[in-house]
Amino acid sequence: MAYKRILTIQDVSCLGQCSLTVALPILSACGHETCIIPSAVLSTHTGEFKGYTFRDLSDDIPMIRKHWEQEKISFDAIYTGYLGSAQEVGYVLDIFKSLLRPEGLIVVDPAMADNGRLYAGFDEQYVKAIKNLCAEADVLIPNITEAALLTGREYREQYDRAYAEELIDGLKAMGACDVVLTGVGFDGEHTGVMVSSAKGTQYYKHRKIERTCHGTGDIFASVFTGAYLRGRDIFEAAKIAADFTLTSIKNTLDDPEHWYGVKFETVLPELIKSLEN
């Protein structure tokens, strides 16, 4: 296996098992040299916690980029998640242009919304800015809410396959090459991922677990990126990511006090094993 260098740009939630505290260990477990640019530092994630601290690190990003350019540092892949502000989107676009190796991979998780609404601190200006980032993606990984916001479609809690495919078509019209749409369920009992690539559109589902779990989107996107960068087919990478996310949720179900994230760390050996098969 080739040793790849990946840069991931997203926030640090100091507690909460999401963003960089998920991406760094998972990508490293996948066998990649993982470098980071933190977009912001929060004391916790924004889901259900009250009074969390937030420090915007936007001003640091151009300085980090400039230093790396001087050192002639480049990356095989760049994967973006939660960004702290619309201003940072422009800085990330500059990083795509200057630090990504020829034929390098861009994976964008437009982490900004779920369950029909934007995360705290985001507004329509941010949605407009993030569209520019999504247009550059080789692989775009939104959930249903994010896809609806990005394409200007009505958000629906109940929908059919035609609606999901309409969202995907809208995302591709924006410029994204391939789309992995997450949280897709048509019958109320299952959820899964719909993958649209040059090979067509494929759907992978599993039984839905009725528990809200924070950080699972970041787990999925990180595992997907790690597996895809190892050369797995895009649909296979999505299946591996979905299975590991489900395993992480199941690993947490017996602990009602652990509501703020999922216990992915203790099942990382299973991820490594699945990548070696």
Side-chain angles (χ1 to χ4, degrees):
M1 183 192 78
Y3 187 57
K4 300 291 182 66
R5 175 188 287 166
I6 182 170
L7 168 64
T8 182
I9 309 170
Q10 45 192 308
D11 76 286
V12 177
S13 290
C14 298
L15 185 144
Q17 292 172 305
C18 65
S19 303
L20 280 180
T21 59
V22 162
L24 181 55
I26 286 177
L27 291 168
S28 297
C30 290
H32 306 304
E33 178 186 358
T34 306
C35 306
I36 66 169
I37 293 181
S39 60
V41 175
L42 295 84
S43 54
T44 66
H45 60 60
T46 62
E48 298 185 52
F49 286 109
K50 306 297 181 184
Y52 52 83
T53 67
F54 178 92
R55 182 175 295 275
D56 186 353
L57 299 180
S58 298
D59 292 342
D60 293 326
I61 296 176
M63 295 186 290
I64 293 171
R65 176 182 58 81
K66 183 177 180 181
H67 181 217
W68 284 352
E69 287 175 345
Q70 292 170 347
E71 296 293 330
K72 295 181 171 49
I73 293 168
S74 60
F75 299 92
D76 297 294
I78 300 176
Y79 152 45
T80 70
Y82 181 105
L83 301 176
S85 66
Q87 179 187 21
E88 288 184 351
V89 174
Y91 293 155
V92 173
L93 289 169
D94 290 338
I95 288 172
F96 287 169
K97 295 174 184 177
S98 61
L99 299 179
L100 188 66
R101 292 172 181 166
E103 308 304 321
L105 175 71
I106 295 175
V107 178
V108 174
D109 174 7
M112 62 178 178
D114 203 1
N115 298 315
R117 61 182 184 274
L118 287 166
Y119 294 153
F122 289 149
D123 55 20
E124 289 303 318
Q125 180 183 1
Y126 183 82
V127 175
K128 184 177 180 180
I130 206 74
K131 288 181 181 180
N132 297 319
L133 202 67
C134 295
E136 299 296 321
D138 294 305
V139 183
L140 181 61
I141 313 179
N143 60 35
I144 292 289
T145 300
E146 290 157 350
L149 286 167
L150 288 167
T151 60
R153 268 70 170 182
E154 176 189 6
Y155 168 74
R156 300 179 189 171
E157 292 187 358
Q158 296 181 340
Y159 51 85
D160 56 14
R161 186 180 178 108
Y163 174 74
E165 291 180 344
E166 180 183 340
L167 292 177
I168 289 173
D169 289 342
L171 294 168
K172 287 197 165 187
M174 290 169 47
C177 294
D178 296 329
V179 175
V180 179
L181 186 62
T182 65
V184 181
F186 304 123
D187 59 15
E189 296 182 357
H190 297 85
T191 188
V193 291
M194 186 171 283
V195 179
S196 180
S197 67
K199 295 183 177 181
T201 300
Q202 299 168 282
Y203 180 57
Y204 180 66
K205 67 179 181 179
H206 55 72
R207 181 69 61 176
K208 185 176 182 180
I209 297 177
E210 294 296 339
R211 173 171 170 170
T212 299
C213 298
H214 298 284
T216 51
D218 298 328
I219 290 173
F220 178 90
S222 299
V223 174
F224 169 84
T225 303
Y228 193 50
L229 198 57
R230 282 181 67 129
R232 293 302 182 99
D233 170 85
I234 187 170
F235 186 63
E236 180 65 21
K239 287 174 60 179
I240 291 170
D243 288 343
F244 181 75
T245 303
L246 180 62
T247 298
S248 299
I249 294 171
K250 289 180 176 178
N251 193 45
T252 317
L253 289 178
D254 62 352
D255 186 356
E257 297 299 317
H258 201 96
W259 56 267
Y260 50 84
V262 295
K263 299 177 180 179
F264 72 93
E265 299 91 345
T266 55
V267 288
L268 279 173
E270 295 184 31
L271 171 61
I272 295 170
K273 184 178 180 180
S274 71
L275 292 170
E276 291 173 346
N277 291 337

